[in-house]
Amino acid sequence: MSGIHFFSKHRTWEDWFGMLLGALIVVSPWFPFSSHDVMDSERSTMILNTFVIGMLVFGLAQLEYVALQRWEEVGEIALGLWLAASPFILGYAGDDMLRAWHVALGGIVVLLGALQLWQDWRLSDQELANHPQ
């Protein structure tokens, strides 16, 4: 029963985990087990997309750590959904490992953002401002 209470309040480890996810997303195109079967033009688009998404996830997690707002969690959810859909939209779904990693990392970002949004949904603006650092 105490496990439920552990997830009922927004904690700073969640923000640190979000920053770690952002860093992992940025370096994911260079994971050693990726097959790199993507063409050069598709690869440069994929790398740019992955870099931007990773930096935005990292930045939103930093903002949550400093000044908690609900729109930051909504932004994380949107970025996670975009990362999970990117292999199919941008055409690099043929790289099975990279597709699996981007879908998995995007799903984790969505789950983390949804958890944080659920935790902060009933808090007033004053309570959000008092988020511990």
Side-chain angles (χ1 to χ4, degrees):
M1 196 66 165
S2 65
I4 295 171
H5 295 294
F6 181 73
F7 290 110
S8 65
K9 182 179 177 188
H10 190 129
R11 302 188 189 279
T12 55
W13 70 263
E14 297 165 356
D15 303 330
W16 284 103
F17 185 61
M19 288 183 244
L20 175 66
L21 283 172
L24 283 174
I25 291 167
V26 167
V27 299
S28 66
W30 297 281
F31 283 170
F33 41 79
S34 183
S35 65
H36 304 293
D37 287 341
V38 181
M39 303 283 281
D40 285 336
S41 63
E42 291 173 349
R43 186 153 179 80
S44 63
T45 304
M46 178 268 303
I47 289 172
L48 178 62
N49 178 64
T50 305
F51 178 79
V52 169
I53 291 172
M55 292 305 292
L56 288 172
V57 167
F58 187 86
L60 285 175
Q62 281 185 327
L63 280 175
E64 287 179 24
Y65 184 73
V66 174
L68 186 60
Q69 297 291 320
R70 286 182 200 90
W71 66 267
E72 296 158 350
E73 285 103 1
V74 173
E76 276 187 358
I77 292 170
L79 288 170
L81 290 172
W82 175 254
L83 180 63
S86 290
F88 308 102
I89 294 172
L90 298 179
Y92 63 93
D95 189 343
D96 294 336
M97 286 302 293
L98 190 58
R99 180 187 67 228
W101 273 106
H102 282 182
V103 169
L105 288 171
I108 294 169
V109 170
V110 168
L111 289 175
L112 181 63
L115 171 67
Q116 292 173 337
L117 186 61
W118 174 71
Q119 292 167 338
D120 301 339
W121 192 256
R122 292 181 303 274
L123 298 179
S124 69
D125 291 338
Q126 182 62 34
E127 291 170 321
L128 286 174
N130 292 333
H131 175 61
Q133 296 179 13

